[in-house]
Amino acid sequence: IYIGLGFLCFFVGAFFVKVYHSIQDQFAKLQIPIFLKPALGGLLVGFMALIFPEVLGSGFGLIQRMINGEVI
């Protein structure tokens, strides 16, 4: 089972890196002033936080709720 978990982690990690670099490249291609790019990033994180409030925290609260069985 650990070999399967290792392969799963490999593919998830490779996918994460590919998506990360793709988003980074698209963000660099934006034709807006450089001082507005952090504001746009903050706005996107704010919208994500409306759907997933855990984005704004350290993650410890979510981990504790998962341990308690409150999160599926």
Side-chain angles (χ1 to χ4, degrees):
I1 191 164
Y2 291 113
I3 293 173
L5 182 61
F7 279 116
L8 178 67
C9 289
F10 168 77
F11 288 115
V12 169
F15 176 73
F16 174 80
V17 170
K18 187 170 286 284
V19 169
Y20 175 81
H21 286 296
S22 174
I23 291 172
Q24 188 177 28
D25 292 342
Q26 294 299 321
F27 201 77
K29 290 179 186 177
L30 285 177
Q31 299 294 326
I32 61 173
I34 195 164
F35 63 88
L36 289 178
K37 289 184 179 184
L40 178 61
L43 187 65
L44 292 174
V45 170
F47 283 134
M48 284 178 25
L50 290 174
I51 299 169
F52 305 107
E54 295 84 10
V55 169
L56 298 177
S58 63
F60 292 119
L62 176 62
I63 291 171
Q64 186 62 49
R65 290 195 334 233
M66 291 173 84
I67 291 171
N68 292 340
E70 298 170 7
V71 177
I72 297 175

